[in-house]
Amino acid sequence: MGKMRVAVFASGSGTNLQAIIDADIQTIEIAVVFTNNPDAYAIERAKKHNIQVEIIDHKNYKTREEYEKHIIKVLGPYKLNLIVLAGFMRILSTVFVRAYKNKIVNIHPALLPSFPGINAGRRALEYGVKYTGVTVHFVDEGVDTGPIILQSVVEIKDEDTEDTLLEKIHEVEHRIYPKAIELISSGEIEVIGRRVIKKS
Ligand code: GAR
């Protein structure tokens, strides 16, 4: 099997993109970094590693569907096998999800199905849970609802603030996202219903 051609989607700082680059996963090639945000630091990270960048600002499109159709067109020539959402802060509609059916993964800063959506770290802290964590999952047509690939727990201590918690969450993310991508790209896992399991 050849290397999987991967697009990493990032809207901001791109520390997860960096972790994926640094992990030097032998079963993938990062064909392109995609962003909706012309100011994303992720762009600099990609350029530093000679990775192609595509910037398409959602603000220039009237509807989500119109925006996503354009992304699909631009990404076509890259012949992608996997889309990795790494801090991509736009919800993807059925238009995009169907175009890359079962080929999109996301990382979420909580133990799904708890705290889906934005500001998951802060909301876990405010809710008072003692444990939160990180989830890597396939993307389906809901928001943070797809089959779960990997999860890892982060303990919330009394002295934690939003900043210290997010720092701990990031550390865990940078460890488990490359691991999940490696599992997918080496063909070691399969999805049966909602369950993602090791192939026997
Ligand atoms: C990460 O913590 C990721 O889990 C989160 O955004 C951050 C991006 O950081 N994603 C979401 O909240 C998705 N709803 P990064 O740009 O440094 O990788």
Side-chain angles (χ1 to χ4, degrees):
M1 203 167 70
K3 289 191 184 199
M4 266 200 179
R5 294 179 59 77
V6 172
V8 179
F9 281 34
S11 299
S13 153
T15 64
N16 278 284
L17 165 66
Q18 190 68 53
I20 294 162
I21 293 171
D22 294 344
D24 195 21
I25 302 163
Q26 291 302 304
T27 42
I28 68 163
E29 177 190 342
I30 305 175
V32 61
V33 166
F34 175 81
T35 186
N36 63 306
N37 174 11
D39 299 322
Y41 187 64
I43 297 168
E44 264 54 62
R45 297 185 192 271
K47 285 186 177 161
K48 228 175 262 169
H49 292 271
N50 295 315
I51 300 168
Q52 284 277 336
V53 179
E54 295 286 354
I55 307 165
I56 309 178
D57 192 341
H58 61 278
K59 291 192 190 106
N60 300 331
Y61 296 81
K62 275 202 231 63
T63 65
R64 209 178 278 280
E65 287 70 26
E66 201 184 306
Y67 177 57
E68 290 178 11
K69 277 184 189 157
H70 190 64
I71 302 176
I72 292 165
K73 196 166 125 195
V74 168
L75 294 186
Y78 289 100
K79 305 220 173 309
L80 300 166
N81 309 107
L82 186 67
I83 308 274
V84 171
L85 308 182
F88 185 65
M89 302 313 259
R90 306 290 307 164
I91 290 171
L92 293 168
S93 81
T94 56
V95 171
F96 192 86
V97 174
R98 283 188 190 159
Y100 286 97
K101 199 169 175 343
N102 300 327
K103 289 183 183 162
I104 311 171
V105 292
N106 181 42
I107 191 156
H108 183 75
L111 289 176
L112 291 171
S114 289
F115 310 110
I118 59 162
N119 298 325
R122 184 197 311 162
R123 284 186 294 120
L125 189 72
E126 284 172 355
Y127 191 95
V129 294
K130 301 298 185 194
Y131 296 91
T132 184
V134 174
T135 303
V136 180
H137 64 93
F138 285 108
V139 172
D140 64 10
E141 292 174 22
V143 176
D144 300 326
T145 52
I148 292 168
I149 302 162
L150 285 179
Q151 287 187 305
S152 194
V153 172
V154 171
E155 186 174 4
I156 300 180
K157 299 265 181 65
D158 292 351
E159 61 273 21
D160 270 321
T161 62
E162 185 179 357
D163 282 350
T164 62
L165 176 58
L166 289 182
E167 198 176 307
K168 287 194 281 188
I169 286 174
H170 262 110
E171 232 168 76
V172 171
E173 290 185 331
H174 300 161
R175 254 188 303 115
I176 76 167
Y177 217 0
K179 203 165 138 193
I181 294 164
E182 185 148 33
L183 284 174
I184 298 161
S185 55
S186 59
E188 284 174 64
I189 53 173
E190 59 187 334
V191 185
I192 299 178
R194 282 203 51 85
R195 301 186 71 197
V196 180
I197 57 179
K198 278 235 164 90
K199 281 185 189 163
S200 47

